[in-house]
Amino acid sequence: MGKIAKQSILTTISSYLGVLIGYVNILWLLPCALTPSEFGAFRTIQDMALLLVPFAQLGLGHGITRFYPQVKKHKFTFFTYSLIWCIVGFTAVAVLFLVFKDEIIRTYSVNSPQVNNYLGVVLIITFFSVIHTILDAFMRSFLKVAIPTFIREVMVRLLVSAWIVTFLLGWIDFYQVMMGLGLLYLMAVLFMIAYMLKRDLFRLKFNFGVLSQSFKGEFIKYSLITFLGTAGSILIMKIDSLMVSAMISLDANAIYTIGFSIAVVIEMPRRAISQVVMPVIAESFAGGRLDQIHQLYKKVAVNQLIICLLLFIGLWANIDNLYHFVPNRDVYEAGKWVVLLIGLGKLSDVIFSVNGEIIVFSKYYLFNITSTLLMSLVVILLNLMLIPSYGIEGAAMASFVAMFFYNLLKYYYIKVKLHFTPFTWDLAKVILVGLVAYYIPTLLLPTLDNIFLDLIIRSALIMIIYLTGIYVFNPSPEGKNMVLNALNKIKP
């Protein structure tokens, strides 16, 4: 766990630095620079592109992680082979996108016609994002995720910040903002390639004959099968934003986006840990070390809940304070209930641990397709039912219900097939500590007139109660020892 812990810490730092920049972008810069309608268009185009990425990628990201241990001697041939297939996948998606372009235009023509002016940007973002995911997956196989995470989480957001500032200064217009989005993703790819070249991890080799036909067949079969599951997962997460734009307005999507973006910070540690744990799970399955996977399943659940639950209660306890800093908050604070619902959905991802990763890298990976496609259908139907009656809260509720039952379904499947469970009494201890840490300050501390003072005192009180409870109940002895050792090293 030492290497995993080190990489997790580095990727978590990058993730949260990215979150900080993202907060500045989403909660201040974009609302300040753009009208709600422009903000909504900006996010809709990005979400539409990111929704296409897993389809264009053909599941090759998971395929690279799973099959890399078998072809370490021919890694660059394998890398080149994967890269060519992802270009094939993008070409197929681009053709389908153009074929159905008229239907897409009709979908947004009533409530959000501005989206139709920038549909070409969707394919540009998709292409460079697909290339980036392949590069990222290849680096993940080497357990080198810190710098790729920095590029993905920090650098891209900084580029967006700089681009929006040029608009705010009047150097470019909104049309140029949208058309230039694709260039930002290109720059991220170029930075990634530069890093790989420096590490001597970027070479193109076309001697595909060294890869056996059986290996190629299994690799492509696995990738094509798992891509449906990956695509479904993204669909579950992105379809709400796109449906809000189509069924309500771009303004509503801007409000929804800010609420969603505040909530998504809760899952950052989980995402960082997942990036590091995936190759470990793949190699453990390859070596038949099921006990190791089971222990990892439990440890990850507890350790990531300790971090994520603190973030959740801290955010929700300070939700009014956070919206105070958003420009035009009278418009955007209508989305605060989105924060609660999406936050609860993210917590369900955390509590159920790395269930999706275990299924993907096990021999039962076909189930991932069934469950994901089923939940994709459910979330679309729930959005169609709830958005007309409850607006953006309906979209958030649809996402929460879909995320919870999606995780529950995967949990039961792993329980039956592998006899694994992430649930221990340590999880219950963390939840109990979290409830106490939230309710004591909420019930005893009155709302202060000074926003900064209220934010600081409320957050400090929550943290003191929470960390004290975690220390006393000790749900993660390994994590506690790591923290204590780190503190001892920095003592004078």
Side-chain angles (χ1 to χ4, degrees), residues 419-439:
H419 308 293
F420 293 172
T421 178
F423 300 133
T424 62
W425 282 111
D426 290 325
L427 281 176
K429 293 177 186 178
V430 177
I431 294 172
L432 177 62
V433 170
L435 289 172
V436 173
Y438 172 76
Y439 279 108

Side-chain angles (χ1 to χ4, degrees), residues 6-282:
K6 180 179 178 181
Q7 286 289 304
S8 296
I9 291 170
L10 292 174
T11 53
T12 299
I13 291 171
S14 290
S15 295
Y16 276 98
L17 182 57
V19 166
L20 179 61
I21 300 168
Y23 262 100
V24 174
N25 288 347
I26 297 295
L27 300 184
W28 185 80
L29 186 57
L30 287 168
C32 180
L34 307 178
T35 66
S37 180
E38 290 172 338
F39 189 178
F42 186 88
R43 291 296 300 187
T44 300
I45 290 299
Q46 285 185 310
D47 286 343
M48 193 180 298
L50 295 178
L51 181 60
L52 294 179
V53 168
F55 293 94
Q57 190 202 88
L58 298 176
L60 294 169
H62 285 309
I64 291 170
T65 304
R66 180 184 176 95
F67 286 89
Y68 173 79
Q70 302 179 28
V71 289
K72 289 183 178 180
K73 293 182 180 179
H74 308 293
K75 55 182 175 289
F76 294 114
T77 301
F78 180 48
F79 168 63
T80 308
Y81 185 72
S82 303
L83 204 57
I84 290 174
W85 267 105
C86 89
I87 294 173
V88 171
F90 169 77
T91 302
V93 167
V95 169
L96 289 173
F97 185 85
L98 295 175
V99 168
F100 291 100
K101 185 177 179 180
D102 290 341
E103 283 71 18
I104 297 172
I105 290 174
R106 281 194 289 270
T107 299
Y108 290 95
S109 60
V110 176
N111 295 313
S112 305
Q114 301 96 316
V115 171
N116 297 326
N117 297 327
Y118 311 110
L119 292 179
V121 181
V122 171
L123 292 180
I124 298 174
I125 295 175
T126 300
F127 176 73
F128 292 124
S129 295
V130 167
I131 298 297
H132 194 280
T133 58
I134 297 301
L135 302 179
D136 192 79
F138 190 62
M139 295 303 295
R140 190 166 58 239
S141 297
F142 287 95
L143 294 180
K144 295 183 181 296
V145 297
I147 298 301
T149 300
F150 177 83
I151 293 172
R152 183 180 64 250
E153 301 290 347
V154 177
M155 190 169 293
V156 171
R157 288 181 169 94
L158 284 175
L159 291 172
V160 170
S161 301
W163 194 234
I164 295 300
V165 167
T166 62
F167 171 77
L168 194 59
L169 294 173
W171 296 351
I172 57 176
D173 59 27
F174 183 69
Y175 181 80
Q176 291 170 321
V177 168
M178 297 301 293
M179 299 308 293
L181 272 178
L183 295 177
L184 306 185
Y185 287 86
L186 168 61
M187 292 178 68
V189 170
L190 294 177
F191 277 115
M192 189 73 167
I193 292 174
Y195 171 71
M196 294 176 70
L197 287 171
K198 184 178 179 180
R199 293 285 184 178
D200 195 25
L201 295 174
F202 187 95
R203 298 182 196 171
L204 298 180
K205 289 190 176 182
F206 297 89
N207 54 330
F208 300 139
V210 299
L211 305 176
S212 67
Q213 288 300 120
S214 61
F215 173 84
K216 292 177 184 177
E218 285 299 313
F219 171 62
I220 297 302
K221 176 185 174 183
Y222 174 84
S223 297
L224 290 176
I225 289 173
T226 56
F227 108 84
L228 292 174
T230 304
S233 298
I234 298 296
L235 181 64
I236 291 171
M237 298 307 302
K238 295 295 182 183
I239 195 64
D240 49 359
S241 171
L242 298 178
M243 292 182 74
V244 165
S245 291
M247 298 176 67
I248 307 176
S249 67
L250 291 175
D251 295 45
N253 190 28
I255 297 169
Y256 186 84
T257 293
I258 287 183
F260 189 96
S261 298
I262 293 173
V264 80
V265 69
I266 296 164
E267 74 165 352
M268 289 297 109
R270 187 200 185 286
R271 289 171 56 185
I273 292 171
S274 175
Q275 293 293 311
V276 181
V277 165
M278 280 195 289
V280 176
I281 293 174

